[in-house]
Amino acid sequence: MEKFVITAALWVMANGAWAHGTQQHGQVPSGMSQSMVAEQYPWGIMGQPDAVVREIRVSMTDNMRFTPDQITVKLNETIRFVVQNDGKVLHEFVIGTPDELKKHAEMMKRFPNMAHDEPYMAHVDPGKEAEVVWTFNRPGTFEFACLLPGHFEAGMIGQIVVQP
């Protein structure tokens, strides 16, 4: 018997975006599985914690910058990003292609309270940290950004180069 898991993106497509209300960013609505399907993206695939070969700490600040903002990884490396919000407002860390991030940022302008929980992103409250474990199995130049309205436009973007 096959097991099907509904990802947050599919749940939103079927049920609409869920707002903050009593739920926080990334909190899964009742009736939805916390499980994630390992889906291939142009920028890689969800990593397995036991495959991590390196940890990279990334700081986010209210001056709308990431530190570091340039990261180089090797093809097929699984990285644990530990993302620290050193600011006083919510920030997020989202990995993707420049085009995908730009499209998502535009959607966030239209639906600023949209919650989502994908394996390539983390929402981080002020003073907190979160982790993203990602396997870079595609060479190329990708980006990470904070897509909250105004943050992306202010330049809260970094670059990841995946070397073959």
Side-chain angles (χ1 to χ4, degrees):
M1 174 181 224
E2 290 184 274
K3 180 179 178 185
F4 294 94
V5 178
I6 297 174
T7 67
L10 291 174
W11 191 93
V12 167
M13 286 171 42
N15 299 286
W18 62 89
H20 280 282
T22 59
Q23 296 172 325
Q24 298 298 312
H25 271 287
Q27 184 177 352
V28 178
S30 62
M32 184 180 158
S33 171
Q34 183 74 294
S35 302
M36 292 289 200
V37 174
E39 182 179 343
Q40 180 65 57
Y41 295 91
W43 55 92
I45 193 165
M46 179 176 65
Q48 298 303 313
D50 59 350
V52 169
V53 296
R54 186 162 49 124
E55 181 177 288
I56 298 175
R57 296 191 69 81
V58 178
S59 170
M60 302 180 289
T61 60
D62 294 345
N63 68 355
M64 305 303 159
R65 294 295 179 260
F66 290 100
T67 304
D69 63 357
Q70 301 286 315
I71 297 171
T72 302
V73 301
K74 294 179 182 157
L75 184 63
N76 295 316
E77 250 189 322
T78 298
I79 305 294
R80 174 180 288 111
F81 292 98
V82 178
V83 188
Q84 172 73 36
N85 183 345
D86 291 321
K88 294 184 184 334
V89 300
L90 177 70
H91 289 293
E92 65 179 8
F93 175 86
V94 183
I95 304 170
T97 64
D99 286 343
E100 288 295 321
L101 292 175
K102 188 179 289 186
K103 287 178 196 172
H104 192 147
E106 287 300 316
M107 188 183 318
M108 291 291 289
K109 284 183 196 173
R110 292 194 329 257
F111 304 104
N113 293 326
M114 177 177 65
H116 36 270
D117 187 19
E118 299 293 337
Y120 53 86
M121 64 177 57
H123 294 87
V124 189
D125 288 321
K128 304 290 183 181
E129 66 180 32
E131 293 184 359
V132 172
V133 177
W134 197 254
T135 299
F136 292 94
N137 63 358
R138 300 284 192 263
T141 300
F142 307 103
E143 291 182 348
F144 55 95
C146 180
L147 303 179
L148 295 174
H151 296 209
F152 183 76
E153 295 79 8
M156 198 164 180
I157 304 168
Q159 187 177 70
I160 300 172
V161 176
V162 183
Q163 298 178 330

